[in-house]
Amino acid sequence: MAALDGAAPRLRNMPVCEIVAAIDRALACWREPGDPGRAALLEHGPALTGYSRETLAYAIDHMLPEFGEHGLRRLLTAELGDPAALDGFVTSENGPRHMARGPGRQVHVFAGTVPTVPVFSLICGLLLKSPVLAKPSSHDPLIPAVFAQLLARVEPRLAGALAVLPWSGGDEPLEREALAGAGAVIVYGSAETVATYRAMTPATTRFVGYGHALSVAAIAREALTAGAATETARRLAWDVALFDQRGCLSPQFALLERGGETAPEAFCELLGAELDGLRSRLPRGPLDAAGHARVRAVREAVRFRAAVEPGVRLWESAGSTDWTVLLLPRLDPGSGGEHRAIAVVPADDLAAALPAACAGLSISCIGLAATPQRTRTLEPVLSRLATRICPLGRMQEPPITWRHDGRPNLSDLTTWVEIEGG
C-alpha cells in the first residue's frame, strides 16, 4: 500500500493527456510482433486463461486499440466534458470554474471472463489518477500483470501505479487490509463475490460491483430472408465464438422469430456451418475433461428429447465438442450457453417472447437482428430488459463509451469541485 500511495503524487502531477499517451504507446507495443509482453501472452495465455492463441491475438490487435488515444479522448469527453478538468480548474461557459477529482487509491477484483475487461478497468483507474491494487482472477493471472509491466516499461512515471497481486479469496483479514484506505473498490464476479466485498468495504468508500449477467440474441423475421439469413447466422456465430460464451456480453441463447423466409431448421443448419468455419480461424480455447463432459451431457439430453419431442433437433461438430447448435421449442435450464453450445428457440413474436424468456435473468445485452423500423417498434420492450441493445455480430465488442450495466465508467467515481465567482 505504501508503494501505491507513493505513486499517487506522480499520478496527480501528470497531465491526463500524458497518461493517455502512455497508455496508447503501451497498447501499440503490445501489437508489435516482437514485443515480449505479446510473446508471453500468446505463448502462456492459452494454458493460463483458457482462450486460444487466435482469440488472444484478436483481443490485442482488434479490440484493445479501442482503448488507444482516440478512444480514451472520446471516453473522457463523453463522461467529463473537458478532460483537462482532471488536471485542475477549468472554465465553463455558463457555470463556475470546476475540476474533477478521482477517488484516490482503488482496489479492483477481477473475474477472469473476457481478457479486455481487466485492461479497461485498470485504464479507467489511471485516467482518474488513481493507483490501483488489482487482484487477478485465478482463471486469468497473466493479462493484467502483463499490461502493468508494459505500462511501466513505456512510461517510468507510471511504474508503481499498478500493483497486480494474487491472493486467495476468503482470507478476510488480508482482504480487509487490502481495502483499508481505498477510495474506491471495483469488483467483477459472482453475486456472492460482489456481496462479500461490498460487506467488507467501508461505508465511506465508493463501491461498484459487476455481478453475474448474461446476454441474449434476438432475430426478427425480417433478418431471415433468403438473402439475409446467411449473414445473420454469420453474425450470431461470431458472437457465440468470440470468448467462448464466457463473458456477460456472450449470447446464452437466441430467440428466432417465426414467419421469415428461412425456417428455424434451415437457420440452425446455416449457424452450424458458420461455427464450423470458425474452428480454424478462431478456435475455441483448451477445454478440460469436465468441460468436454458438460458439452456431451447437453448433447445427450437433447438427443433423448429429440427422440420423443417434436421440434427438437441437434447439430454438432463432427468428432469434437467444438460447437453445438440446439433447436428447442422452449428454453430449459442447462440448455447450452457455454463452450460454444447455443440454443435456438423459435418464437411467434419477439415483443411477447423476449420478456418471457428473460424473466428472472440479469440481462446485460440484447444482440438484435432487425430492420431499423422494427427496432424502433421493439424499443419499449427492449429498454425494460437490458441496458445495451446492439446489432447482432457486435455483442462482444462494445464501444469504449458503453456504460457497463448502465453505469458510467469514470464519472461514477469522480468528485467535482467548483469555485463560484472566481
Side-chain angles (χ1 to χ4, degrees), residues 287-295 339:
L287 212 57
D288 60 16
H292 288 294
R294 285 197 296 276
V295 175
H339 309 314

Side-chain angles (χ1 to χ4, degrees), residues 60 67 82 91 124 127 137 160 163 188 247 253 266 275 336 355 374 416:
I60 296 171
F67 307 155
D82 185 351
T91 303
C124 286
L127 292 179
S137 164
Y188 303 80
F253 60 90
L275 286 169
R374 187 70 190 287
W416 290 94

Side-chain angles (χ1 to χ4, degrees), residues 48 92 126 205 225 266 285 334 342 348 369 388:
L48 291 173
S92 61
L126 292 173
T205 301
T225 63
I342 179 80
D348 291 332
R388 178 174 174 242

Side-chain angles (χ1 to χ4, degrees), residues 212-216 252-253 331 354-364 385:
H212 174 73
L214 55 88
S215 294
V216 178
Q252 302 297 297
F253 60 90
L331 192 67
L354 273 165
C358 297
L361 302 176
S362 178
I363 303 296
S364 186
L385 300 175

Side-chain angles (χ1 to χ4, degrees), residues 186-190 194 207-212 404-405 407-409 412:
I186 320 293
V187 178
Y188 303 80
S190 66
V194 171
F207 182 91
V208 179
Y210 297 107
H212 174 73
H404 190 167
D405 289 348
R407 302 180 64 157
N409 296 289
D412 231 12

Side-chain angles (χ1 to χ4, degrees), residues 18 43 78 89 110 115 178 320 360 402:
E18 294 182 12
E43 180 179 352
F89 285 98
F110 297 130
S320 76
W402 170 50

